[in-house]
Amino acid sequence: MAFSKDFLWGGATAANQYEGGYLSGGKGLATLDAITGGSKDNPRMITFKTEDGKIHEVTREEGLPKGATGYIDPDKYYPSHVATDFYHHYKEDIALFAEMGFKCFRLSLSWARICPKGTDEINEEGLAFYDAVFDELLKYGIEPVVTINHFDIPMYLADKLDGWNNRKTVDYFVFFCETVFKRYKDKVKYWMTFNEINFLRSWTQIGIHQNDNQHRYQAIHHLFVASAKAVILGHKINPAFKIGMMVAYIPSYPMTSNPEDVMAALEFNRGQEFFIDVQVKGTYPAHKLKWFERENITIKKEAGDDELIKEGTVDYIGFSYYMSTASSANPENVKYVGGNQQPAVKNPYLAESEWGWAVDPLGLRISLCNLYDRYQVPLFIVENGFGAVDVVKEDGSIEDDYRIDYFKKHIAAMKDAVELDGVDLMGYTPWGCIDLVSAGTGEMKKRYGFIYVDLDDQGKGSLARSRKKSFHWYKEVIASNGEKLA
């Protein structure tokens, strides 16, 4: 058998895409609350107010003027406000996860639900909500896997402090971590500090108004310090905690055997491995320091930062894998397709999803080998999945064979990585195990789940849950510990 008897099968979600409960129970505003819906052809937008009181909007990749603050337009639809309403459906949803046989469930905490401004003010009702969620999971023997921060920041910290550009945000985040570590130390064993840390950028995700490299990498340094402090603190509070990092891993292949293409691929892969190097090895790699020099980027550090980063290395690497890409020394001569948070080079050997994401099961095995060979720490695939339009038949059934085929091939690849390559793999939590709002486009029609939620792109629908064909298939996969894939 490829997988250990305690392999963590489950599913993954994020608060801002799934939880809903906008402002319920004392929750404060978060940056994602001011992000509109969109589509693969129309970007999501930030709505904000300038100091003169005027209302504007820009794409979520753009910077905001100095002094601008997030704004909720009562005439616009913001998908995060309801999402697919885990806040009011958590018992029903967890029962469905238990029916599938989940061993774990990955979710994120809403920082603004627990600390409404992101400061040292605590909302007891928010803490009690997660107590109830964790108790419900543990009732069914499902291990919570908690991402402490997933793609947003309390709006107060973004508007008043410029988010992660401000060193004070580190202290507020560590306070938040201490609060949840102490509160849930007997309920949660597995933690991750920041979701897809290599994708964090802009006001949307880290609260910074200027999104140039100088400001972004200063913010990233603060994220590294905050993560390290959280790891050190968490291990003091409960030495049994397993605290990991999380990165979006997209392996890049050379477009050709031309050494210049090989070098281009090496540089692309270094770009994401940099984030892992710092959090696993505890140091900034030399190539990144040289890049900072060339780009005139100066990272302001406080005394002891390097020592903190060295001490606060993580216990495991959590990563998302959806696709691969290719690299060319002449990028202007290649074709591009849609991709996970960024355009990707079209690989002529691979098919793509409707949203342009290359489908590459073998790339998952390659990724597992790359990561384990390089870092020699346990790995955890905490996101993997296939976004597609699902059709509900007249009898209510959803025949999502395309999703089953995707998962079948990817699980077979990770099985080979364990069985043939000796990779230490902790678990597997497919993304959006229940339908939720797409992070990239804000759509509902781009569905990932084993469980269908009746909601459309305009937020209309009953929110009723129903089982797709893949629900029953994944249930058998878990019951057989990955042996039954047909």
Side-chain angles (χ1 to χ4, degrees):
M1 290 181 67
F3 302 112
S4 64
K5 58 180 175 53
D6 56 354
F7 190 79
L8 292 169
W9 295 98
T13 62
N16 64 78
Q17 295 168 255
Y18 175 43
E19 191 173 280
Y22 168 67
L23 301 185
S24 297
K27 178 186 171 295
L29 285 171
T31 48
L32 262 293
D33 291 328
I35 310 299
T36 67
S39 69
K40 62 182 178 181
D41 300 315
N42 297 296
R44 304 185 73 178
M45 306 296 285
I46 305 170
T47 52
F48 66 95
K49 182 185 292 187
T50 47
E51 289 180 302
D52 59 7
K54 293 181 179 179
I55 310 303
H56 307 267
E57 63 178 22
V58 295
T59 69
R60 63 195 184 117
E61 305 301 326
E62 297 177 69
L64 300 188
K66 184 179 180 181
T69 55
Y71 176 76
I72 311 299
D73 185 335
D75 296 323
K76 290 187 181 294
Y77 170 61
Y78 297 91
S80 72
H81 292 192
V82 174
T84 47
D85 202 25
F86 179 66
Y87 190 78
H88 295 104
H89 292 79
Y90 73 90
K91 289 188 176 182
E92 175 187 359
D93 292 353
I94 291 170
L96 287 166
F97 301 156
E99 184 182 336
M100 270 190 285
F102 278 19
K103 308 300 181 186
C104 73
F105 172 54
R106 179 190 172 218
L107 71 162
S108 72
L109 303 177
S110 168
W111 188 352
R113 187 174 298 285
I114 292 172
C115 300
K117 292 183 176 179
T119 60
D120 55 3
E121 173 190 342
I122 295 174
N123 175 32
E124 173 60 31
E125 195 171 347
L127 287 169
F129 169 70
Y130 291 112
D131 267 320
V133 169
F134 296 147
D135 288 345
E136 195 71 13
L137 289 166
L138 294 170
K139 181 177 82 174
Y140 291 103
I142 300 172
E143 287 273 6
V145 176
V146 174
T147 311
I148 300 171
N149 183 238
H150 191 127
F151 275 4
D152 67 359
I153 181 173
M155 199 183 291
Y156 178 88
L157 295 183
D159 291 345
K160 301 299 183 182
L161 298 186
D162 200 29
W164 282 99
N165 260 325
N166 194 318
R167 183 76 184 210
K168 290 181 182 178
T169 301
V170 174
D171 297 331
Y172 286 134
F173 180 77
V174 173
F175 173 82
F176 172 50
C177 290
E178 182 176 14
T179 300
V180 298
F181 284 156
K182 287 181 176 178
R183 177 76 170 222
Y184 308 125
K185 66 183 174 66
D186 298 320
K187 297 181 181 182
V188 178
K189 177 181 178 181
Y190 300 98
W191 305 85
M192 282 168 281
T193 50
F194 296 101
N195 180 72
E196 293 187 333
I197 189 169
N198 53 321
F199 281 167
L200 297 183
R201 60 198 185 278
S202 79
W203 185 90
T204 308
Q205 296 167 341
I206 52 177
I208 62 176
H209 286 67
Q210 293 172 273
N211 202 27
D212 56 274
N213 280 334
Q214 173 61 51
H215 287 86
R216 182 183 176 224
Y217 278 95
Q218 183 62 58
I220 285 166
H221 176 72
H222 291 155
L223 290 165
F224 287 148
V225 172
S227 178
K229 284 189 168 188
V231 171
I232 295 165
L233 177 65
H235 286 154
K236 287 179 181 176
I237 291 171
N238 186 346
F241 280 168
K242 298 297 181 186
I243 308 174
M245 62 158 298
M246 200 289 206
V247 66
Y249 198 71
I250 303 171
S252 184
Y253 312 132
M255 198 69 187
T256 71
S257 56
N258 182 334
E260 292 185 355
D261 286 355
V262 175
M263 190 66 205
L266 184 151
E267 290 178 342
F268 180 94
N269 291 323
R270 271 180 170 175
Q272 55 196 344
E273 288 161 356
F274 154 67
F275 294 86
I276 315 175
D277 289 346
V278 177
Q279 295 187 273
V280 175
K281 295 181 177 181
T283 57
Y284 277 74
H287 67 81
K288 200 67 176 181
L289 297 177
K290 287 294 185 182
W291 184 78
F292 288 161
E293 287 180 18
R294 293 193 300 275
E295 297 294 319
N296 295 314
I297 295 169
T298 301
I299 304 299
K300 296 177 184 177
K301 298 181 180 180
E302 289 191 1
D305 279 3
D306 289 337
E307 290 77 12
L308 276 170
I309 289 171
K310 189 72 175 177
E311 183 183 355
T313 54
V314 295
D315 299 316
Y316 66 91
I317 297 169
F319 72 101
S320 63
Y321 175 83
Y322 294 99
M323 55 178 286
S324 61
T325 187
S327 295
S328 170
N330 300 294
E332 67 279 0
N333 296 331
V334 299
K335 293 181 179 179
Y336 287 87
V337 294
N340 182 12
Q341 303 285 325
Q342 59 190 15
V345 172
K346 181 174 178 60
N347 187 329
Y349 298 99
L350 300 174
E352 292 107 27
S353 75
E354 185 178 343
W355 276 264
W357 295 28
V359 178
D360 182 11
L362 184 56
L364 178 54
R365 181 181 174 188
I366 291 168
S367 298
L368 287 163
C369 291
N370 285 344
L371 291 170
Y372 194 63
D373 289 351
R374 184 180 177 99
Y375 298 106
Q376 291 291 299
V377 298
L379 306 179
F380 196 161
I381 303 166
V382 295
E383 290 186 28
N384 174 238
F386 188 74
V389 176
D390 292 330
V391 177
V392 183
K393 295 186 175 182
E394 287 188 12
D395 64 358
S397 65
I398 300 164
E399 302 286 327
D400 57 339
D401 294 293
Y402 40 86
R403 186 169 291 111
I404 292 170
D405 182 67
Y406 178 95
F407 282 124
K408 187 185 302 182
K409 291 173 180 174
H410 283 76
I411 293 172
M414 73 187 200
K415 186 175 180 181
D416 284 343
V418 172
E419 212 163 29
L420 304 179
D421 305 313
V423 170
D424 183 358
L425 184 60
M426 297 166 54
Y428 179 66
T429 56
W431 177 247
C433 50
I434 179 170
D435 289 345
L436 38 65
V437 175
S438 166
T441 63
E443 295 171 291
M444 271 305 302
K445 70 177 181 180
K446 184 185 180 187
R447 297 176 182 271
Y448 286 87
F450 304 115
I451 300 165
Y452 186 89
V453 178
D454 179 34
L455 194 72
D456 66 16
D457 289 347
Q458 287 71 49
K460 297 176 181 178
S462 68
L463 291 169
R465 276 66 168 146
S466 58
R467 299 162 185 80
K468 304 179 189 179
K469 184 177 180 180
S470 58
F471 178 103
H472 306 286
W473 175 84
Y474 191 49
K475 179 179 180 179
E476 291 188 350
V477 171
I478 296 174
S480 68
N481 200 26
E483 292 299 308
K484 188 173 180 180
L485 300 179

PDB file of all heavy atoms in Angstrom, residues 391-416:
ATOM      1  N   VAL A 391     -23.458  20.789 -14.664  1.00  0.00           N
ATOM      2  CA  VAL A 391     -24.841  20.833 -15.139  1.00  0.00           C
ATOM      3  C   VAL A 391     -25.703  19.947 -14.234  1.00  0.00           C
ATOM      4  O   VAL A 391     -25.410  18.757 -14.047  1.00  0.00           O
ATOM      5  CB  VAL A 391     -24.943  20.342 -16.597  1.00  0.00           C
ATOM      6  CG1 VAL A 391     -26.400  20.322 -17.041  1.00  0.00           C
ATOM      7  CG2 VAL A 391     -24.114  21.248 -17.518  1.00  0.00           C
ATOM      8  N   VAL A 392     -26.742  20.551 -13.676  1.00  0.00           N
ATOM      9  CA  VAL A 392     -27.685  19.802 -12.839  1.00  0.00           C
ATOM     10  C   VAL A 392     -28.780  19.241 -13.735  1.00  0.00           C
ATOM     11  O   VAL A 392     -29.496  19.990 -14.409  1.00  0.00           O
ATOM     12  CB  VAL A 392     -28.291  20.704 -11.746  1.00  0.00           C
ATOM     13  CG1 VAL A 392     -29.223  19.887 -10.844  1.00  0.00           C
ATOM     14  CG2 VAL A 392     -27.198  21.373 -10.922  1.00  0.00           C
ATOM     15  N   LYS A 393     -28.911  17.931 -13.744  1.00  0.00           N
ATOM     16  CA  LYS A 393     -29.944  17.294 -14.573  1.00  0.00           C
ATOM     17  C   LYS A 393     -31.324  17.441 -13.941  1.00  0.00           C
ATOM     18  O   LYS A 393     -31.453  17.869 -12.787  1.00  0.00           O
ATOM     19  CB  LYS A 393     -29.594  15.822 -14.774  1.00  0.00           C
ATOM     20  CG  LYS A 393     -28.304  15.607 -15.571  1.00  0.00           C
ATOM     21  CD  LYS A 393     -28.086  14.128 -15.857  1.00  0.00           C
ATOM     22  CE  LYS A 393     -26.873  13.923 -16.757  1.00  0.00           C
ATOM     23  NZ  LYS A 393     -26.661  12.481 -17.080  1.00  0.00           N
ATOM     24  N   GLU A 394     -32.337  17.073 -14.702  1.00  0.00           N
ATOM     25  CA  GLU A 394     -33.720  17.230 -14.215  1.00  0.00           C
ATOM     26  C   GLU A 394     -33.964  16.458 -12.921  1.00  0.00           C
ATOM     27  O   GLU A 394     -34.745  16.888 -12.076  1.00  0.00           O
ATOM     28  CB  GLU A 394     -34.717  16.768 -15.288  1.00  0.00           C
ATOM     29  CG  GLU A 394     -34.830  17.741 -16.456  1.00  0.00           C
ATOM     30  CD  GLU A 394     -35.956  17.359 -17.405  1.00  0.00           C
ATOM     31  OE1 GLU A 394     -36.763  16.489 -17.028  1.00  0.00           O
ATOM     32  OE2 GLU A 394     -36.030  17.955 -18.503  1.00  0.00           O
ATOM     33  N   ASP A 395     -33.283  15.320 -12.764  1.00  0.00           N
ATOM     34  CA  ASP A 395     -33.469  14.533 -11.540  1.00  0.00           C
ATOM     35  C   ASP A 395     -32.566  15.017 -10.399  1.00  0.00           C
ATOM     36  O   ASP A 395     -32.538  14.415  -9.326  1.00  0.00           O
ATOM     37  CB  ASP A 395     -33.220  13.043 -11.814  1.00  0.00           C
ATOM     38  CG  ASP A 395     -31.778  12.749 -12.230  1.00  0.00           C
ATOM     39  OD1 ASP A 395     -30.966  13.695 -12.340  1.00  0.00           O
ATOM     40  OD2 ASP A 395     -31.457  11.561 -12.456  1.00  0.00           O
ATOM     41  N   GLY A 396     -31.828  16.107 -10.627  1.00  0.00           N
ATOM     42  CA  GLY A 396     -30.968  16.677  -9.591  1.00  0.00           C
ATOM     43  C   GLY A 396     -29.555  16.134  -9.572  1.00  0.00           C
ATOM     44  O   GLY A 396     -28.712  16.617  -8.811  1.00  0.00           O
ATOM     45  N   SER A 397     -29.273  15.147 -10.405  1.00  0.00           N
ATOM     46  CA  SER A 397     -27.939  14.539 -10.395  1.00  0.00           C
ATOM     47  C   SER A 397     -26.933  15.398 -11.157  1.00  0.00           C
ATOM     48  O   SER A 397     -27.299  16.199 -12.021  1.00  0.00           O
ATOM     49  CB  SER A 397     -27.986  13.135 -11.003  1.00  0.00           C
ATOM     50  OG  SER A 397     -28.339  13.193 -12.372  1.00  0.00           O
ATOM     51  N   ILE A 398     -25.659  15.226 -10.822  1.00  0.00           N
ATOM     52  CA  ILE A 398     -24.561  15.945 -11.468  1.00  0.00           C
ATOM     53  C   ILE A 398     -23.498  14.923 -11.826  1.00  0.00           C
ATOM     54  O   ILE A 398     -22.846  14.353 -10.943  1.00  0.00           O
ATOM     55  CB  ILE A 398     -23.980  17.036 -10.548  1.00  0.00           C
ATOM     56  CG1 ILE A 398     -25.069  18.052 -10.181  1.00  0.00           C
ATOM     57  CG2 ILE A 398     -22.782  17.724 -11.207  1.00  0.00           C
ATOM     58  CD1 ILE A 398     -24.718  18.924  -9.016  1.00  0.00           C
ATOM     59  N   GLU A 399     -23.354  14.677 -13.120  1.00  0.00           N
ATOM     60  CA  GLU A 399     -22.418  13.662 -13.601  1.00  0.00           C
ATOM     61  C   GLU A 399     -21.074  14.335 -13.921  1.00  0.00           C
ATOM     62  O   GLU A 399     -20.776  14.663 -15.076  1.00  0.00           O
ATOM     63  CB  GLU A 399     -22.989  12.984 -14.857  1.00  0.00           C
ATOM     64  CG  GLU A 399     -24.341  12.330 -14.656  1.00  0.00           C
ATOM     65  CD  GLU A 399     -24.250  11.040 -13.859  1.00  0.00           C
ATOM     66  OE1 GLU A 399     -23.234  10.331 -13.988  1.00  0.00           O
ATOM     67  OE2 GLU A 399     -25.196  10.752 -13.098  1.00  0.00           O
ATOM     68  N   ASP A 400     -20.247  14.535 -12.907  1.00  0.00           N
ATOM     69  CA  ASP A 400     -18.986  15.253 -13.110  1.00  0.00           C
ATOM     70  C   ASP A 400     -17.817  14.279 -13.321  1.00  0.00           C
ATOM     71  O   ASP A 400     -16.840  14.283 -12.569  1.00  0.00           O
ATOM     72  CB  ASP A 400     -18.713  16.211 -11.950  1.00  0.00           C
ATOM     73  CG  ASP A 400     -18.683  15.530 -10.587  1.00  0.00           C
ATOM     74  OD1 ASP A 400     -19.241  14.417 -10.457  1.00  0.00           O
ATOM     75  OD2 ASP A 400     -18.084  16.096  -9.658  1.00  0.00           O
ATOM     76  N   ASP A 401     -17.935  13.476 -14.394  1.00  0.00           N
ATOM     77  CA  ASP A 401     -16.884  12.502 -14.696  1.00  0.00           C
ATOM     78  C   ASP A 401     -15.549  13.171 -14.994  1.00  0.00           C
ATOM     79  O   ASP A 401     -14.484  12.591 -14.746  1.00  0.00           O
ATOM     80  CB  ASP A 401     -17.310  11.618 -15.876  1.00  0.00           C
ATOM     81  CG  ASP A 401     -18.492  10.733 -15.533  1.00  0.00           C
ATOM     82  OD1 ASP A 401     -18.325   9.832 -14.695  1.00  0.00           O
ATOM     83  OD2 ASP A 401     -19.587  10.955 -16.080  1.00  0.00           O
ATOM     84  N   TYR A 402     -15.587  14.370 -15.555  1.00  0.00           N
ATOM     85  CA  TYR A 402     -14.362  15.126 -15.848  1.00  0.00           C
ATOM     86  C   TYR A 402     -13.581  15.404 -14.565  1.00  0.00           C
ATOM     87  O   TYR A 402     -12.349  15.385 -14.563  1.00  0.00           O
ATOM     88  CB  TYR A 402     -14.705  16.451 -16.551  1.00  0.00           C
ATOM     89  CG  TYR A 402     -15.939  17.123 -15.994  1.00  0.00           C
ATOM     90  CD1 TYR A 402     -15.879  17.984 -14.893  1.00  0.00           C
ATOM     91  CD2 TYR A 402     -17.195  16.864 -16.554  1.00  0.00           C
ATOM     92  CE1 TYR A 402     -17.006  18.562 -14.379  1.00  0.00           C
ATOM     93  CE2 TYR A 402     -18.340  17.446 -16.033  1.00  0.00           C
ATOM     94  CZ  TYR A 402     -18.251  18.296 -14.939  1.00  0.00           C
ATOM     95  OH  TYR A 402     -19.389  18.869 -14.420  1.00  0.00           O
ATOM     96  N   ARG A 403     -14.281  15.657 -13.469  1.00  0.00           N
ATOM     97  CA  ARG A 403     -13.619  15.910 -12.192  1.00  0.00           C
ATOM     98  C   ARG A 403     -13.048  14.604 -11.625  1.00  0.00           C
ATOM     99  O   ARG A 403     -11.921  14.584 -11.091  1.00  0.00           O
ATOM    100  CB  ARG A 403     -14.611  16.548 -11.215  1.00  0.00           C
ATOM    101  CG  ARG A 403     -14.004  16.977  -9.900  1.00  0.00           C
ATOM    102  CD  ARG A 403     -14.972  17.840  -9.092  1.00  0.00           C
ATOM    103  NE  ARG A 403     -15.180  19.146  -9.727  1.00  0.00           N
ATOM    104  CZ  ARG A 403     -16.313  19.536 -10.284  1.00  0.00           C
ATOM    105  NH1 ARG A 403     -17.371  18.722 -10.291  1.00  0.00           N
ATOM    106  NH2 ARG A 403     -16.416  20.725 -10.835  1.00  0.00           N
ATOM    107  N   ILE A 404     -13.798  13.554 -11.745  1.00  0.00           N
ATOM    108  CA  ILE A 404     -13.315  12.248 -11.280  1.00  0.00           C
ATOM    109  C   ILE A 404     -12.056  11.854 -12.042  1.00  0.00           C
ATOM    110  O   ILE A 404     -11.070  11.388 -11.455  1.00  0.00           O
ATOM    111  CB  ILE A 404     -14.420  11.179 -11.440  1.00  0.00           C
ATOM    112  CG1 ILE A 404     -15.578  11.471 -10.475  1.00  0.00           C
ATOM    113  CG2 ILE A 404     -13.865   9.772 -11.218  1.00  0.00           C
ATOM    114  CD1 ILE A 404     -16.810  10.618 -10.712  1.00  0.00           C
ATOM    115  N   ASP A 405     -12.070  12.057 -13.342  1.00  0.00           N
ATOM    116  CA  ASP A 405     -10.902  11.717 -14.161  1.00  0.00           C
ATOM    117  C   ASP A 405      -9.686  12.520 -13.728  1.00  0.00           C
ATOM    118  O   ASP A 405      -8.569  11.977 -13.634  1.00  0.00           O
ATOM    119  CB  ASP A 405     -11.219  11.982 -15.631  1.00  0.00           C
ATOM    120  CG  ASP A 405     -10.073  11.613 -16.553  1.00  0.00           C
ATOM    121  OD1 ASP A 405      -9.764  10.414 -16.667  1.00  0.00           O
ATOM    122  OD2 ASP A 405      -9.470  12.531 -17.153  1.00  0.00           O
ATOM    123  N   TYR A 406      -9.872  13.805 -13.468  1.00  0.00           N
ATOM    124  CA  TYR A 406      -8.773  14.656 -13.002  1.00  0.00           C
ATOM    125  C   TYR A 406      -8.187  14.126 -11.696  1.00  0.00           C
ATOM    126  O   TYR A 406      -6.970  13.950 -11.564  1.00  0.00           O
ATOM    127  CB  TYR A 406      -9.290  16.088 -12.819  1.00  0.00           C
ATOM    128  CG  TYR A 406      -8.272  17.082 -12.302  1.00  0.00           C
ATOM    129  CD1 TYR A 406      -7.551  17.890 -13.169  1.00  0.00           C
ATOM    130  CD2 TYR A 406      -8.042  17.225 -10.926  1.00  0.00           C
ATOM    131  CE1 TYR A 406      -6.620  18.811 -12.697  1.00  0.00           C
ATOM    132  CE2 TYR A 406      -7.110  18.134 -10.444  1.00  0.00           C
ATOM    133  CZ  TYR A 406      -6.405  18.928 -11.336  1.00  0.00           C
ATOM    134  OH  TYR A 406      -5.486  19.821 -10.845  1.00  0.00           O
ATOM    135  N   PHE A 407      -9.060  13.884 -10.716  1.00  0.00           N
ATOM    136  CA  PHE A 407      -8.583  13.418  -9.421  1.00  0.00           C
ATOM    137  C   PHE A 407      -7.953  12.029  -9.507  1.00  0.00           C
ATOM    138  O   PHE A 407      -6.936  11.757  -8.856  1.00  0.00           O
ATOM    139  CB  PHE A 407      -9.721  13.415  -8.401  1.00  0.00           C
ATOM    140  CG  PHE A 407     -10.036  14.776  -7.849  1.00  0.00           C
ATOM    141  CD1 PHE A 407     -11.320  15.293  -7.936  1.00  0.00           C
ATOM    142  CD2 PHE A 407      -9.057  15.544  -7.246  1.00  0.00           C
ATOM    143  CE1 PHE A 407     -11.618  16.554  -7.417  1.00  0.00           C
ATOM    144  CE2 PHE A 407      -9.340  16.798  -6.734  1.00  0.00           C
ATOM    145  CZ  PHE A 407     -10.629  17.306  -6.814  1.00  0.00           C
ATOM    146  N   LYS A 408      -8.545  11.166 -10.282  1.00  0.00           N
ATOM    147  CA  LYS A 408      -8.017   9.809 -10.425  1.00  0.00           C
ATOM    148  C   LYS A 408      -6.559   9.839 -10.873  1.00  0.00           C
ATOM    149  O   LYS A 408      -5.689   9.149 -10.314  1.00  0.00           O
ATOM    150  CB  LYS A 408      -8.876   9.049 -11.452  1.00  0.00           C
ATOM    151  CG  LYS A 408      -8.560   7.575 -11.591  1.00  0.00           C
ATOM    152  CD  LYS A 408      -9.380   6.962 -12.724  1.00  0.00           C
ATOM    153  CE  LYS A 408     -10.868   7.132 -12.523  1.00  0.00           C
ATOM    154  NZ  LYS A 408     -11.673   6.505 -13.604  1.00  0.00           N
ATOM    155  N   LYS A 409      -6.275  10.655 -11.874  1.00  0.00           N
ATOM    156  CA  LYS A 409      -4.916  10.721 -12.423  1.00  0.00           C
ATOM    157  C   LYS A 409      -3.950  11.403 -11.458  1.00  0.00           C
ATOM    158  O   LYS A 409      -2.778  11.017 -11.356  1.00  0.00           O
ATOM    159  CB  LYS A 409      -4.943  11.441 -13.772  1.00  0.00           C
ATOM    160  CG  LYS A 409      -5.638  10.633 -14.862  1.00  0.00           C
ATOM    161  CD  LYS A 409      -5.809  11.432 -16.144  1.00  0.00           C
ATOM    162  CE  LYS A 409      -6.499  10.595 -17.215  1.00  0.00           C
ATOM    163  NZ  LYS A 409      -6.805  11.389 -18.437  1.00  0.00           N
ATOM    164  N   HIS A 410      -4.416  12.408 -10.742  1.00  0.00           N
ATOM    165  CA  HIS A 410      -3.532  13.099  -9.806  1.00  0.00           C
ATOM    166  C   HIS A 410      -3.245  12.256  -8.567  1.00  0.00           C
ATOM    167  O   HIS A 410      -2.116  12.252  -8.056  1.00  0.00           O
ATOM    168  CB  HIS A 410      -4.125  14.458  -9.422  1.00  0.00           C
ATOM    169  CG  HIS A 410      -3.946  15.502 -10.484  1.00  0.00           C
ATOM    170  ND1 HIS A 410      -4.700  15.531 -11.633  1.00  0.00           N
ATOM    171  CD2 HIS A 410      -3.071  16.547 -10.586  1.00  0.00           C
ATOM    172  CE1 HIS A 410      -4.311  16.540 -12.396  1.00  0.00           C
ATOM    173  NE2 HIS A 410      -3.332  17.173 -11.781  1.00  0.00           N
ATOM    174  N   ILE A 411      -4.238  11.524  -8.087  1.00  0.00           N
ATOM    175  CA  ILE A 411      -3.992  10.645  -6.943  1.00  0.00           C
ATOM    176  C   ILE A 411      -3.055   9.506  -7.339  1.00  0.00           C
ATOM    177  O   ILE A 411      -2.168   9.116  -6.561  1.00  0.00           O
ATOM    178  CB  ILE A 411      -5.322  10.115  -6.361  1.00  0.00           C
ATOM    179  CG1 ILE A 411      -6.119  11.279  -5.744  1.00  0.00           C
ATOM    180  CG2 ILE A 411      -5.065   9.032  -5.306  1.00  0.00           C
ATOM    181  CD1 ILE A 411      -7.526  10.908  -5.306  1.00  0.00           C
ATOM    182  N   ALA A 412      -3.210   8.989  -8.541  1.00  0.00           N
ATOM    183  CA  ALA A 412      -2.288   7.948  -9.023  1.00  0.00           C
ATOM    184  C   ALA A 412      -0.854   8.490  -9.075  1.00  0.00           C
ATOM    185  O   ALA A 412       0.104   7.785  -8.727  1.00  0.00           O
ATOM    186  CB  ALA A 412      -2.725   7.453 -10.397  1.00  0.00           C
ATOM    187  N   ALA A 413      -0.703   9.745  -9.483  1.00  0.00           N
ATOM    188  CA  ALA A 413       0.635  10.345  -9.553  1.00  0.00           C
ATOM    189  C   ALA A 413       1.243  10.519  -8.167  1.00  0.00           C
ATOM    190  O   ALA A 413       2.438  10.258  -7.959  1.00  0.00           O
ATOM    191  CB  ALA A 413       0.557  11.692 -10.272  1.00  0.00           C
ATOM    192  N   MET A 414       0.441  10.953  -7.214  1.00  0.00           N
ATOM    193  CA  MET A 414       0.999  11.129  -5.870  1.00  0.00           C
ATOM    194  C   MET A 414       1.266   9.767  -5.214  1.00  0.00           C
ATOM    195  O   MET A 414       2.209   9.626  -4.419  1.00  0.00           O
ATOM    196  CB  MET A 414       0.098  12.010  -5.002  1.00  0.00           C
ATOM    197  CG  MET A 414      -1.179  11.414  -4.503  1.00  0.00           C
ATOM    198  SD  MET A 414      -2.190  12.687  -3.682  1.00  0.00           S
ATOM    199  CE  MET A 414      -3.278  11.652  -2.681  1.00  0.00           C
ATOM    200  N   LYS A 415       0.490   8.771  -5.587  1.00  0.00           N
ATOM    201  CA  LYS A 415       0.747   7.415  -5.103  1.00  0.00           C
ATOM    202  C   LYS A 415       2.105   6.921  -5.610  1.00  0.00           C
ATOM    203  O   LYS A 415       2.885   6.327  -4.855  1.00  0.00           O
ATOM    204  CB  LYS A 415      -0.375   6.488  -5.575  1.00  0.00           C
ATOM    205  CG  LYS A 415      -0.297   5.075  -5.028  1.00  0.00           C
ATOM    206  CD  LYS A 415      -1.527   4.281  -5.467  1.00  0.00           C
ATOM    207  CE  LYS A 415      -1.460   2.856  -4.937  1.00  0.00           C
ATOM    208  NZ  LYS A 415      -2.625   2.060  -5.362  1.00  0.00           N
ATOM    209  N   ASP A 416       2.411   7.200  -6.876  1.00  0.00           N
ATOM    210  CA  ASP A 416       3.724   6.825  -7.415  1.00  0.00           C
ATOM    211  C   ASP A 416       4.840   7.556  -6.680  1.00  0.00           C
ATOM    212  O   ASP A 416       5.906   6.978  -6.419  1.00  0.00           O
ATOM    213  CB  ASP A 416       3.791   7.156  -8.908  1.00  0.00           C
ATOM    214  CG  ASP A 416       3.029   6.170  -9.779  1.00  0.00           C
ATOM    215  OD1 ASP A 416       2.712   5.065  -9.290  1.00  0.00           O
ATOM    216  OD2 ASP A 416       2.754   6.511 -10.952  1.00  0.00           O
TER     217      ASP A 416
END
